[in-house]
Amino acid sequence: MSEQHGTTDGAADASKNPITDAKPTFLERVDSALELELSKGPIINTVQPPDDANNFKPATIAADIPEAKPAGGNLRPGFFGAGGSMMRKFDESTLQSRKASRPSSPPPAIVGIGNKVARPDYSEEKIVLAMVGLPARGKSYLSNKLTRYLQWLEYDVKVFNVGNLRRSKAKSRASKTGKKEVHSASFFSNKNDEATKEREILAEESLEMLISWLYEGGNVAIHDATNSTKARRAKIEKRVAREPNFSLIFLESWCDDPDIIAANVDLKVSAGDPDYMNMSREEARADFLARIKQYEAVYETITEPHLSYMRISNVGSQVTVGRIHGYLQSRIAFYLMNLHLKPRAIFMSRHGESVYNVEGKIGGDAPLSPRGLQYAAALPKLIEDNLGNAPLTVWTSTLQRTIQTAEQLPFTKLIWKSLDELDAGVCDGMTYEEIEQEAYPEDFANRDDDKFNYRYRGGESYRDVVVRLEPVIMELERQDNILIIGHQAILRCLYAYFHNLPQNDLPYIKIPLHTVIKLTPKAYGCDEERYKVPISAVDTHRPKPTGSTTRANTLDAPINSTTRQFEIAALPNTAAL
């Protein structure tokens, strides 16, 4: 069909301008038609859809809309197009509504914007984890590490150590009879029928205590014993099978590394083990080695094909997993895969003092203050003096104050989004005084009452931060020497993990500015050293309020009684700053 207006088919006029004399578009013709109708007066009739509305075809309708004639050879802007007459009127009428809003600072008081995060419901998780292994093979090390990790994630975990039960009962009997029992190596001989029977009863009693505790609300109960024969493991399996919804995992710690075994033996005889009180170190070592031989004579590694089990060889050099099912079991297995005993140091430091620290504001992405820049310049020498030539990796958050603090460190650097400071949500960039007195007084009080569980509106709680830091913990357990340049809330959470501190105390751990904390992981904990650089900084620590419903003591670090503190002399390279 030929067009009703314009040139005829195939008869192009070469004298016409292809830009100004082009045919109007479909939308321009719609604009013109609407403008023509509106010029006749207001439209008051109701428009009914055509009978063939379902067969609507834009191409057919377009041909029937009259074309607007260009004035003076130029095309007029479309009626509702950009720059059209109606569009200009609309722009003028809405000019006021499009002005940028300017919120008051601080915002007006709003009640109840935050909330307390409920503890996760882990009540359905019931796992019996039975240790397997010879003495001095790292069973207690693994059970203690796993307990610390799961408790940090708020699972209820408890270790039931058969050796402790044995000593407790022996002590109770001695208080009644006045006769001290001697549990030397011969007590652990499989040929000693009376002692073997007693040890079996103790293992069964410990298992019953463990099951009762799980029914009281526990999640993971660890049966810490040798469980070194197939017969013993079959008894455990049969007993746990009687409990509906209970899972059983055997965790075998297998070791043939003479250095690890020797270190574990030394730890046993030098750590004040009750079995070796009032004995010389040499006598204790000889008896403990003899005890190991008694167990070796009957030891059977896990080969039962139907058992759910994990085997950790040489404390992490190799991991074997069989029949592990479910979320928590998999989580446990993955954590244990990342452990190692290699000597290492974990350094932790907050960023240098920031502009927001000086102004008393929380959150934000402020740069370092002049004193913060001085600390960044002093940090390389402090780390070098404590590390020597050992390799080190530096971890920072994505926020500029941590990146600036790490800028002069001559080590590999990794940026973690997970290490960003606790998100203060709507309170970000405010001072505590503004929050308490002007903006959100009720929520300020709620946070003081339960700081670990309080979540800022649009932000996070300490509990949220712990969850987000779990991948960081996994990677920390895998790594060698690490320096974390982080934030106050982040380092509190990590510090609580390494020192096994309860959640109620976690938000009040004192992590001061311009101080490096050095943690050296050991078999059953961490040694700690603190190095304070003589560059003054504001104190951002807020002690626990006296009216708080949580435990009242304030954790003014150092927490660890063995912590050593050092004052660093002024460093030459900071003088010019």
Side-chain angles (χ1 to χ4, degrees):
M1 180 180 69
S2 63
E3 294 284 337
Q4 295 177 348
H5 303 279
T7 60
T8 57
D9 292 343
D13 187 347
S15 65
K16 292 185 181 247
N17 188 310
I19 303 298
T20 58
D21 294 327
K23 289 188 291 184
T25 65
F26 167 65
L27 288 176
E28 289 168 343
R29 281 182 278 160
V30 171
D31 288 346
S32 298
L34 287 171
E35 187 175 29
L36 180 63
E37 289 297 318
L38 288 173
S39 66
K40 298 176 183 177
I43 300 173
I44 58 175
N45 61 302
T46 302
V47 180
Q48 298 293 334
D51 294 337
D52 61 345
N54 292 333
N55 298 319
F56 172 74
K57 294 181 181 180
T60 304
I61 294 177
D64 299 329
I65 296 176
E67 199 174 15
K69 299 285 185 181
N74 293 318
L75 285 176
R76 182 181 51 79
F79 186 57
F80 275 107
S85 56
M86 291 300 289
M87 202 61 172
R88 284 196 300 272
K89 292 178 182 178
F90 177 79
D91 286 346
E92 292 167 2
S93 66
T94 59
L95 182 63
Q96 197 66 25
S97 67
R98 289 184 287 114
K99 288 182 179 178
S101 61
R102 297 178 60 84
S104 58
S105 180
I110 300 174
V111 175
I113 64 153
N115 60 75
K116 293 181 182 178
V117 185
R119 178 179 175 176
D121 182 9
Y122 296 135
S123 58
E124 298 301 315
E125 297 286 358
K126 304 292 180 185
I127 294 179
V128 177
L129 195 148
M131 303 301 299
V132 176
L134 294 167
R137 264 49 176 190
K139 297 187 303 299
S140 294
Y141 165 77
L142 291 176
S143 63
N144 288 335
K145 288 282 286 187
L146 185 59
T147 298
R148 185 205 309 169
Y149 165 68
L150 292 175
Q151 287 179 341
W152 186 72
L153 292 173
E154 296 189 88
Y155 289 94
D156 283 327
V157 188
K158 188 173 181 179
V159 178
F160 293 81
N161 185 284
V162 175
N164 288 340
L165 180 63
R166 167 178 57 81
R167 286 184 283 268
S168 174
K169 287 186 170 293
K171 184 177 180 180
S172 178
R173 288 192 295 265
S175 66
K176 296 175 182 178
T177 64
K179 182 180 179 182
K180 182 181 178 181
E181 298 180 19
V182 178
H183 294 160
S184 62
S186 60
F187 179 82
F188 301 93
S189 171
N190 197 49
K191 297 177 181 179
N192 186 337
D193 294 337
E194 184 179 346
T196 299
K197 182 179 179 181
E198 182 180 342
R199 289 187 287 114
E200 288 294 331
I201 291 173
L202 287 167
E204 291 170 7
E205 184 175 347
S206 178
L207 187 59
E208 292 300 327
M209 294 167 62
L210 175 156
I211 290 171
S212 296
W213 178 80
L214 285 174
Y215 273 115
E216 291 169 2
N219 302 127
V220 179
I222 301 176
H223 193 247
D224 190 2
T226 58
N227 297 323
S228 54
T229 64
K230 292 180 180 179
R232 170 75 73 82
R233 294 194 287 271
K235 286 183 180 180
I236 295 173
E237 182 185 12
K238 183 177 179 180
R239 176 63 188 89
V240 175
R242 286 161 45 190
E243 308 303 330
N245 303 318
F246 277 30
S247 301
L248 173 63
I249 306 173
F250 289 96
L251 174 56
E252 182 176 13
S253 183
W254 185 88
C255 182
D256 64 354
D257 186 323
D259 293 334
I260 295 177
I261 296 172
N264 287 340
V265 170
D266 286 341
L267 184 64
K268 178 79 171 180
V269 301
S270 65
D273 190 289
D275 286 339
Y276 298 117
M277 289 181 65
N278 303 320
M279 290 179 65
S280 69
R281 190 163 180 170
E282 291 72 20
E283 289 176 311
R285 180 190 295 276
D287 185 82
F288 188 52
L289 292 174
R291 181 193 300 188
I292 293 173
K293 288 188 178 298
Q294 300 292 352
Y295 278 105
E296 286 176 337
V298 296
Y299 185 76
E300 296 172 298
T301 188
I302 295 178
T303 56
E304 300 94 316
H306 64 286
L307 294 183
S308 295
Y309 76 97
M310 290 174 279
R311 181 183 296 112
I312 312 295
S313 300
N314 293 321
V315 199
S317 65
Q318 184 178 3
V319 179
T320 306
V321 176
R323 298 184 177 274
I324 296 298
H325 306 285
Y327 173 71
L328 183 54
Q329 292 187 29
S330 301
R331 204 169 186 175
I332 290 170
F334 185 63
Y335 174 74
L336 294 172
M337 288 178 186
N338 288 286
L339 300 182
H340 70 82
L341 280 178
K342 291 182 288 186
R344 60 186 176 131
I346 298 171
F347 297 91
M348 296 193 297
S349 171
R350 288 176 66 184
H351 53 80
E353 181 189 70
S354 73
V355 172
Y356 264 24
N357 292 148
V358 176
E359 295 173 351
K361 296 179 180 178
I362 63 174
D365 191 16
L368 295 182
S369 71
R371 293 186 300 197
L373 291 170
Q374 282 186 296
Y375 178 69
L379 196 55
K381 186 168 191 314
L382 172 57
I383 298 300
E384 181 185 343
D385 290 346
N386 283 275
L387 193 67
N389 296 321
L392 176 77
T393 303
V394 180
W395 294 356
T396 73
S397 73
T398 66
L399 302 177
Q400 65 172 324
R401 54 191 183 273
T402 65
I403 295 172
Q404 279 185 292
T405 305
E407 220 162 29
Q408 300 183 47
L409 289 163
F411 305 105
T412 300
K413 301 178 183 71
L414 296 177
I415 296 175
W416 285 72
K417 177 66 176 173
S418 297
L419 290 175
D420 282 2
E421 179 61 300
L422 184 151
D423 187 347
V426 295
C427 297
D428 193 72
M430 299 175 66
T431 66
Y432 283 119
E433 289 73 21
E434 288 174 334
I435 299 169
E436 180 182 19
Q437 298 171 16
E438 302 175 53
Y440 313 117
E442 184 175 307
D443 295 283
F444 183 87
N446 287 339
R447 188 167 193 259
D448 267 358
D449 185 60
D450 190 358
K451 194 172 180 179
F452 182 78
N453 294 304
Y454 176 90
R455 177 187 287 160
Y456 287 106
R457 179 182 179 182
E460 294 178 298
S461 67
Y462 270 91
R463 172 175 274 127
D464 296 323
V465 173
V466 165
V467 172
R468 115 161 109 92
L469 286 175
E470 186 184 5
V472 176
I473 290 296
M474 290 289 188
E475 194 63 22
L476 272 174
E477 291 291 1
R478 288 164 46 93
Q479 295 294 328
D480 295 329
N481 300 313
I482 294 290
L483 165 59
I484 302 173
I485 298 178
H487 307 269
Q488 182 168 243
I490 301 302
L491 298 186
R492 281 171 171 166
C493 294
L494 297 177
Y495 187 96
Y497 166 78
F498 283 106
H499 281 306
N500 199 26
L501 299 175
Q503 280 84 3
N504 285 343
D505 290 338
L506 186 155
Y508 300 100
I509 299 170
K510 193 166 187 179
I511 310 287
L513 290 165
H514 299 178
T515 300
V516 174
I517 300 172
K518 179 183 179 183
L519 300 178
T520 305
K522 300 290 185 182
Y524 299 107
C526 278
D527 289 344
E528 180 181 335
E529 297 170 3
R530 291 195 173 210
Y531 300 87
K532 181 166 180 57
V533 177
I535 299 171
S536 59
V538 296
D539 184 1
T540 62
H541 181 74
R542 294 183 67 247
K544 182 179 291 188
T546 54
S548 173
T549 58
T550 55
R551 197 156 57 90
N553 68 305
T554 298
L555 294 177
D556 289 329
I559 306 303
N560 189 346
S561 59
T562 62
T563 299
R564 294 185 294 166
Q565 299 194 76
F566 304 90
E567 293 286 340
I568 306 302
L571 300 172
N573 62 346
T574 66
L577 295 176

